[in-house]
Amino acid sequence: MKFTEGYWLRSERVTASYASQGFYASKTERGMRIVAPERKILSRADAQNISTITIDFIAFAENNILVKARHYEAYEDAEARFDLNGQEVPFEVQITEEEAVMTSGAVTVRFDRQEGTYRFEAAGKSSKTYEQDAGGEISGVPTDFDYAVPHYEFIGWTA
């Protein structure tokens, strides 16, 4: 990312990789985890030489879902971090071949496993569809929720 003329822009030296499908989905202790490759895996040969993005959806607090996207997880991150004070809240996870759905309070996140996109729902409203790239940049930040705003923490490679 670079700051130019008052705007954050993607650097010309960076090629973003976007999630193309939810290849693997699982329920975790506090939510669900999606492993998303940068291109669709249709055969064994497609799984070679491919980057993946690990996206964790965590029941963070009442009516809040924390989204963590990781790429190159094995590298030590030496940046300043602040601990977020979450709560233990009940949640539900349902995983099918088509989608992975997590509900925490009044907020639901739906990950389309075929397309690699996700969206939030709350109070009968639906957010825009999100696309997640390997650097943690997202498109489609919701603006139409009254109270259900997801939190984002991006961990991984940035150029």
Side-chain angles (χ1 to χ4, degrees), residues 22-123:
F23 185 75
Y24 176 78
S26 65
K27 182 176 179 179
T28 62
E29 185 178 308
R30 294 195 56 207
M32 71 178 175
R33 173 172 289 158
I34 308 289
V35 177
E38 66 177 321
R39 60 180 182 267
K40 291 191 178 190
I41 297 176
L42 304 174
S43 69
R44 184 174 175 187
D46 294 333
Q48 297 178 357
N49 196 25
I50 190 170
S51 298
T52 60
I53 303 168
T54 303
I55 306 169
D56 288 318
F57 297 95
I58 299 167
F60 182 69
E62 185 177 349
N63 297 326
N64 283 280
I65 295 176
L66 174 69
V67 179
K68 289 186 177 184
R70 293 180 178 87
H71 185 59
Y72 295 128
E73 293 180 67
Y75 294 103
E76 186 176 329
D77 212 359
E79 63 186 32
R81 286 235 176 257
F82 298 95
D83 290 331
L84 300 175
N85 296 319
Q87 304 168 355
E88 292 288 329
V89 293
F91 65 93
E92 294 179 16
V93 174
Q94 299 170 350
I95 299 172
T96 65
E97 290 295 319
E98 291 80 32
E99 69 178 355
V101 180
M102 180 179 142
T103 302
S104 177
V107 181
T108 299
V109 60
R110 294 183 181 277
F111 190 96
D112 184 336
R113 294 186 65 191
Q114 307 303 315
E115 298 298 321
T117 58
Y118 58 95
R119 62 187 161 84
F120 288 89
E121 299 171 353

